[in-house]
Amino acid sequence: MPKTPSDRLFQLVHSLTGSEKRYFKLFAREGEGGDNKYLRLFEAIERQGSFDEEELKRAVYGDEPIESRKYSELKNYLFEWVLKSLQAYDEKTSIDYRIKSTLLGVRALYRRSKYEDALFWLEKAGKFATQYEQFTSLIEVVNWKKQVAYARTDIAYLDTQLAQLEREERDFRDRQENLSAFRNIFLRLLVSLRKDASLRSEEQTRQVQELLKAPLLQSPEKANSHHARVYFYRILSIASYAQKEYPRFYELNKTLIGLMEERPDLLREDVSEYISALSNTALSCGLLNKHEEVREV
């Protein structure tokens, strides 16, 4: 029985935004130069409204004889190049990539004993990571500071700063654990609700009420970072909808949107949760017959 052609490359190409597609074409031409088969394949996929393997082969090879193995290799090669271009694109637009890239720079400088330069780049990484609450990266920054001091045999620095570095490391670990705990509660709630889409079972109600007893959910002060506070209000919001407490669902979503809008820098990094909160707010307005607000939201 013939194997069904895979459309995973087709799906990947059609998932790209317009700017990502333009970036790939520039990336591909710089990498290879001139005309090439995999760029022709990319553009053929881009033009297709629905997946058609034979049409793609004709677009790339014309009337040339086609080796099945060579065509499979071409598709795999293109898939890898699209991924590489997306990584390069994200490096230019994502703070997460910028922090990782800066820390890789620290590593390269450290290996060459350029300790002053490494410390300069560590400061840059620390500022970015602090602003965007990248606690794992902040722990890495602290460890690099200790490592550089050790390599330089900088006893004076360790004598005056080691206790402070240890406090910072504990604080960052606590914040990361706090964020992880909120995320886990949110995911448990999501699993409970999705297992019963009707939102009516007694067992589900019991599970939601048990989750809401968690000590972390008794006050927003229990959340010790912006991201954790977002989870706090998302959890309470979804739970209130599950329990048909629609006025509370409305108020919690309004609070959540206000909280998110306080940090436009973080919103620029990932707008998906903001869109979700707006969507839930629109739903809550509809449930409460606030029709003008539905349009506004």
Side-chain angles (χ1 to χ4, degrees):
M1 187 174 176
K3 189 176 178 182
T4 305
S6 169
D7 69 344
R8 69 190 186 100
L9 176 59
F10 177 90
Q11 296 295 342
L12 176 63
V13 170
H14 280 274
S15 74
L16 305 182
T17 65
S19 59
E20 287 169 344
K21 287 175 183 175
R22 286 190 295 275
Y23 186 85
F24 171 77
K25 290 172 188 177
L26 290 171
F27 181 85
R29 289 189 179 107
E30 286 175 8
E32 295 289 314
D35 186 31
N36 52 67
K37 284 186 171 65
Y38 77 86
L39 191 51
R40 292 209 299 275
L41 176 57
F42 179 90
E43 290 173 339
I45 292 171
E46 191 181 10
R47 289 192 298 268
Q48 273 193 347
S50 57
F51 178 63
D52 185 333
E53 186 89 295
E54 294 307 313
E55 184 184 277
L56 292 177
K57 289 179 181 177
R58 286 193 298 274
V60 175
Y61 295 99
D63 297 327
E64 293 178 34
I66 303 167
E67 288 183 48
S68 180
R69 183 177 63 82
K70 289 288 185 185
Y71 178 66
S72 294
E73 288 174 358
L74 179 67
K75 287 197 301 180
N76 289 333
Y77 186 63
L78 176 56
F79 196 97
E80 289 174 10
W81 264 88
V82 171
L83 283 184
K84 285 178 183 177
S85 80
L86 287 175
Q87 289 166 6
Y89 181 88
D90 284 348
E91 281 180 20
K92 297 179 186 298
T93 58
S94 165
I95 197 67
D96 186 47
Y97 270 90
R98 285 177 70 185
I99 293 169
K100 285 182 171 62
S101 176
T102 306
L103 287 170
L104 286 171
V106 170
R107 179 182 295 277
L109 291 164
Y110 174 83
R111 290 182 64 191
R112 289 154 181 82
S113 303
K114 300 293 185 183
Y115 301 128
E116 289 296 333
D117 292 329
L119 289 171
F120 174 78
W121 282 83
L122 273 177
E123 288 303 315
K124 286 183 66 173
K127 285 177 183 175
F128 285 140
T130 298
Q131 181 181 352
Y132 290 92
E133 297 188 339
Q134 299 287 323
F135 302 120
T136 304
S137 295
L138 283 166
I139 293 167
E140 190 173 350
V141 167
V142 169
N143 285 327
W144 269 118
K145 285 180 179 178
K146 289 188 279 189
Q147 184 65 25
V148 169
Y150 168 74
R152 300 171 78 185
T153 324
D154 193 345
I155 303 303
Y157 175 84
L158 289 171
D159 183 42
T160 60
Q161 298 299 316
L162 185 56
Q164 175 63 24
L165 291 174
E166 288 172 347
R167 281 193 296 273
E168 289 177 3
E169 188 173 2
R170 282 195 299 271
D171 178 59
F172 299 145
R173 288 191 191 281
D174 287 345
R175 287 171 183 264
Q176 183 60 46
E177 288 172 10
N178 181 262
L179 178 58
S180 295
F182 274 104
R183 186 184 294 122
N184 289 337
I185 294 172
F186 173 76
L187 292 174
R188 284 200 296 272
L189 176 62
L190 210 60
V191 168
S192 173
L193 298 183
R194 292 293 169 86
K195 278 165 64 175
D196 179 9
S198 70
L199 307 178
R200 290 190 179 91
S201 80
E202 288 182 14
E203 174 59 20
Q204 185 195 73
T205 301
R206 186 193 66 77
Q207 288 178 4
V208 170
Q209 289 173 347
E210 281 301 310
L211 277 173
L212 292 176
K213 291 177 184 175
L216 286 175
L217 299 180
Q218 302 318 302
S219 165
E221 302 304 316
K222 299 285 186 180
N224 60 17
S225 66
H226 175 83
H227 286 115
R229 283 190 292 279
V230 167
Y231 271 118
F232 175 87
Y233 285 107
R234 288 185 72 200
I235 291 163
L236 295 187
S237 160
I238 294 170
S240 65
Y241 175 70
Q243 298 181 106
K244 299 185 180 179
E245 298 172 352
Y246 300 141
R248 180 168 162 76
F249 179 51
Y250 170 80
E251 292 299 336
L252 285 165
N253 274 296
K254 297 286 276 188
T255 302
L256 178 57
I257 287 170
L259 176 64
M260 290 176 165
E261 288 176 346
E262 288 175 6
R263 294 296 305 272
D265 52 336
L266 297 180
L267 267 186
R268 282 192 293 273
E269 276 298 290
D270 182 7
V271 77
S272 60
E273 299 305 340
Y274 182 64
I275 293 171
S276 176
L278 288 172
S279 177
N280 284 339
T281 305
L283 173 60
S284 70
C285 291
L287 291 166
L288 297 173
N289 296 317
K290 296 177 182 286
H291 301 303
E292 285 305 315
E293 273 196 66
V294 171
R295 294 188 186 93
E296 217 176 286
V297 172

